[in-house]
Amino acid sequence: MVSPSTAVRVLPMGDRALLAEVGSLDEVLALHAGLEASRPRGVVDLVPAARTVLVRIDPRVLTLAAARSWLDRTMTATDASAAPPRETCTVELDAVYDGADLDETAALLGLSADALVAQHAGAAWTVAFTGFAPGFGYLASRDWSHDVPRLDSPRTRVPAGSIGLAGVFSGAYPRDTPGGWRLIAKTSAPLFDPDAASPALLAPGVHVRFRPVRAAVRAADGDARPAHEAASSPSSDREPRGATSRRAADRPGIRVVDPGLLAVLQDLGRPGSAALGVAPSGALDRGALRTANRLVGNDEGAAGIEVTMGGFRAVAVADLWFAVAGAWGPIRLDGHEVDPYEAHPWPGGAELNLDWFAHGARAYLAVRGGFDGPAVLGSRSSDLLAGLGAGPLHAGDELALRDEASVAIPTSAIAPWGAPHDDLLEVELAPGPRADWFAASAHRDLFEAIWTVTNDADRVGVRLDGPALARSREGELPSEGMVPGALQVPPSGRPTILLADGPVTGGYPVIAVATDASLDAIAQARPGTRLRFRHARPSS
């Protein structure tokens, strides 16, 4: 069982998840193995982290109360000494130690920059778990005694290959992503390749050594590899992911003339892969995508185009039927205005224009049959943080169609519709696991203040402006599992609501979690939209 000296807790994480907290990484690995071995139907994700295992459920199949009982039984029966054996291959990473935070981090630790480099490169690291983003391994080492604080305010962009420190871990960013780790070096190694048989170079259990090199020096083939085998370099002329959607294939569909601010292919996402560091992704306003699909007789989960803020134009390559739902703005077919929330014929050669939206942030274009695109882990959704799926659409892209129409096009309205309410949104919050990290004034401010959506709002998360939420507990939180809707609060005190492309683990405390039912409304919040939070009703 988990060590009797360990403070074992099961903490709430919104209305669809629980967080099991134990005392050590070894206990996490043992608990995760026990949960996997006894996993009941309705468990969507199990995400191990530094001191916790996140359990995300489908409440239609498994209630939170039943999940808590299963967790309690498994934690009681788990033997920390029974953690599964780890893989033993070694990866050597060439590292250029010129990170933006190297000098400041060394000073925080009372070291010179050279001493910090020597200690980091001299340590024998092991990938304890993955998270945050696909291919991002959390590296731990018995040779590393430092606990490094994260940045007070995370960067909105960390370049791919950056090597950082946070807490007791080191890690390397596989892609350009937001992040709050302190950057000390960079590597050119391909850390995550979704087309490879083993996509993550730094998989759990892999041993890692960092080899200091000068900026101009590279390995002969520019690659990093396990010490016992040669790793082939990814081809530099490989077609980009999503190339099959760039040229219409079996069933011609549409040609993009102008994608506007952002247009991406989305279905209902890829839940169940969070332990690989893969976010659920999918349409941010799931209700709008489902409605658009139903209007043209598709399965609700067929892939459509999510258009952010408008400006999208496309030409039909063949005769189609289409519908638009979600954000509100003029829709023109060959210059003639048509209504949203209705199915319309789209003749071949005609141009469809979704003009700039007056209300809401995201509209969904569905065509009968659904759009085709590259399927990754069972979904055609584009994950912009991880680089999975077709990615942002560009002028000239051609999208083929699938055959996911399941019923005839409805002849009457299927749901009431109107412009999204984006003046003052009321968002329900369920309890978060780290509410006790915040002062009473923070909980009061959270529910009494009017919050404003800032310009830092995208598919990863929505940063809010309002009063700083005061903490009652200082220090750093070991990285733990996250869910869409989590309100992460960095030391600056202004929360960010994580959305579908957000990281699957994070190290800022979560004071509360937006309920699953509130996420569609948050998806339609645009910069300047005001939010008011209220307590969610306890789940039965």
Side-chain angles (χ1 to χ4, degrees), residues 3-100:
S3 170
S5 63
T6 298
V8 177
R9 297 196 295 170
V10 177
L11 306 169
M13 178 66 97
D15 61 345
R16 295 196 171 207
L18 296 166
L19 199 67
E21 183 179 53
V22 293
S24 70
L25 184 56
D26 286 342
E27 289 173 332
V28 165
L29 298 175
L31 175 60
H32 180 248
L35 292 173
E36 282 285 11
S38 61
R39 183 173 184 158
R41 287 183 62 251
V43 173
V44 176
D45 275 307
L46 293 173
V47 185
R51 297 290 183 271
T52 59
V53 178
L54 175 74
V55 179
R56 190 176 178 198
I57 65 164
D58 180 349
R60 297 169 299 180
V61 181
L62 184 70
T63 66
L64 276 177
R68 179 182 287 271
S69 296
W70 167 63
L71 260 175
D72 288 339
R73 292 193 305 272
T74 308
M75 293 170 80
T76 300
T78 294
D79 182 355
S81 66
R86 315 304 297 275
E87 298 294 333
T88 56
C89 70
T90 297
V91 167
E92 289 188 347
L93 294 180
D94 287 352
V96 179
Y97 283 92
D98 61 356

Side-chain angles (χ1 to χ4, degrees), residues 393-465:
L393 299 178
H394 300 93
D397 285 352
E398 294 187 3
L399 277 72
L401 303 185
R402 293 181 56 77
D403 188 14
E404 297 188 20
S406 55
V407 297
I409 294 175
T411 58
S412 58
I414 62 174
W417 50 270
H421 181 67
D422 56 7
D423 178 27
L424 179 61
L425 296 181
E426 287 201 345
V427 174
E428 287 191 335
L429 296 183
R434 303 301 172 187
D436 59 350
W437 279 53
F438 295 89
S441 62
H443 292 276
R444 187 167 56 250
D445 289 341
L446 181 64
F447 289 98
E448 292 182 358
I450 301 296
W451 299 88
T452 303
V453 174
T454 69
N455 288 327
D456 292 327
D458 56 21
R459 288 187 48 83
V460 174
V462 174
R463 189 172 294 182
L464 303 179
D465 189 25

Side-chain angles (χ1 to χ4, degrees), residues 334-361:
D334 260 359
H336 301 286
E337 197 155 328
V338 297
D339 287 333
Y341 288 88
E342 289 185 16
H344 302 279
W346 187 356
E351 180 177 291
L352 178 67
N353 178 12
L354 275 60
D355 210 339
W356 299 103
F357 304 148
H359 299 283

Side-chain angles (χ1 to χ4, degrees), residues 173-229:
Y173 287 76
R175 291 180 48 82
D176 293 356
T177 60
W181 290 39
R182 294 183 179 270
L183 308 182
I184 63 168
K186 61 178 179 287
T187 182
S188 60
L191 299 169
F192 185 78
D193 179 3
D195 293 322
S198 300
L201 180 65
L202 304 183
V206 168
H207 299 316
V208 181
R209 299 303 296 253
F210 292 98
R211 181 169 53 199
V213 297
R214 295 181 181 275
V217 175
R218 292 291 182 269
D221 60 1
D223 206 358
R225 66 197 65 214
H228 66 284
E229 62 175 302

